[in-house]
Amino acid sequence: MPRSFSIGEFADELGVHVQTVKRWCRNDDLDYTRTPGGERRIPHRELRRLAGDTRPTDRVVLYARVSSHGQKDNGDLDRQLDRLTDYAHDHGWSVENTYTDVGSGRNEDRRGLNSLLDNIQEADYGRVLVTYEDRLTRFGFSYLKRYFDCYGVTVTVIEDETDKSAQEELVDDFIKLVASFSGKRYGMRSSKKQQVVNTVESAVK
């Protein structure tokens, strides 16, 4: 879990008086949260910021994702990681960690992505490497990028061309959305719902 400090701990780390830290909090010079009991907790990133510590951009982590276990079994996940590793080494960057997921890019509750989001706050990473934007997320890439930016971490997408496997995944995601919405409207087991899904499948495939 990301580390945070009490007012006293933070003051000790910086070598300043407790009242100084309290004043910084009152003046909104420090980012902090409160516990259910009302105690201020200051994240470790604030200590790094005040100490003038910046994250080295040559310390990178890799994130790779495939949509199915079949793709993983076929080696798609390993090929992504190999490509990312080669790219990092070609640029002289040190790979500090890897995060992977098997599942849809629409799914926001991915174990690998959640671990990355948790660790990025405190770990000494300067850059996240992904092959394509939609490997990180199907929707909302710009929001995730802004989140990483807040912690001084750069997201680097190494491929410029369109990922053909991602196009196929997008079609599958679209069909699943159609099935979900039509099921809610006509009933999950209704013939009308299946007719809509079949029509969409024929149109897009």
Side-chain angles (χ1 to χ4, degrees):
M1 292 294 291
R3 184 181 178 189
S4 61
F5 300 92
S6 67
I7 294 289
E9 291 170 340
F10 195 81
D12 288 342
E13 290 287 338
L14 279 181
V16 299
H17 198 277
V18 169
Q19 293 302 322
T20 300
V21 179
K22 289 182 177 179
R23 185 178 70 252
W24 290 343
C25 291
R26 289 195 302 270
N27 294 339
D28 292 328
D29 293 327
L30 282 178
D31 185 20
Y32 65 90
T33 60
R34 287 189 182 272
T35 66
E39 180 186 357
R40 291 188 183 96
R41 301 295 299 184
I42 305 170
H44 188 265
R45 66 176 183 275
E46 288 294 86
L47 180 65
R48 298 170 62 93
R49 180 176 66 83
L50 292 182
D53 187 10
T54 57
R55 299 179 188 227
T57 57
D58 60 348
R59 293 171 60 89
V60 306
V61 294
L62 315 179
Y63 179 82
R65 179 185 65 81
V66 292
S67 59
S68 68
H69 286 282
Q71 289 179 329
K72 180 182 179 181
D73 293 341
N74 288 335
D76 290 353
L77 191 63
D78 289 335
R79 281 190 287 273
Q80 279 187 53
L81 291 174
D82 289 342
R83 177 73 184 94
L84 293 169
T85 300
D86 290 343
Y87 187 92
H89 291 168
D90 288 345
H91 288 75
W93 297 336
S94 172
V95 177
E96 302 298 316
N97 208 341
T98 61
Y99 300 85
T100 62
D101 280 307
V102 178
S104 171
R106 294 186 298 109
N107 182 8
E108 298 176 352
D109 189 22
R110 283 175 267 150
R111 180 178 299 179
L113 178 60
N114 286 337
S115 294
L116 173 60
L117 294 177
D118 286 340
N119 295 342
I120 211 71
Q121 300 177 39
E122 308 300 341
D124 196 21
Y125 305 150
R127 190 183 302 270
V128 176
L129 296 184
V130 295
T131 51
Y132 300 91
E133 288 185 5
D134 51 26
R135 295 302 89 193
L136 190 61
T137 182
R138 172 62 66 192
F139 304 109
F141 177 83
S142 61
Y143 294 108
L144 275 181
K145 187 173 182 298
R146 287 182 62 183
Y147 175 84
F148 289 126
D149 286 343
C150 289
Y151 295 99
V153 178
T154 301
V155 179
T156 298
V157 180
I158 71 171
E159 301 286 1
D160 294 329
E161 298 179 358
T162 303
D163 185 3
K164 292 182 179 179
S165 65
Q167 290 180 327
E168 296 172 358
E169 181 182 333
L170 180 59
V171 171
D172 290 339
D173 285 345
F174 178 65
I175 292 173
K176 289 176 182 176
L177 285 173
V178 170
S180 176
F181 283 119
S182 59
K184 290 177 181 178
R185 180 174 177 82
Y186 303 112
M188 294 303 296
R189 297 181 180 275
S190 71
S191 59
K192 180 64 175 178
K193 173 252 182 178
Q194 191 59 50
Q195 180 182 352
V196 171
V197 172
N198 291 341
T199 300
V200 172
E201 284 184 331
S202 298
V204 299
K205 287 189 173 181

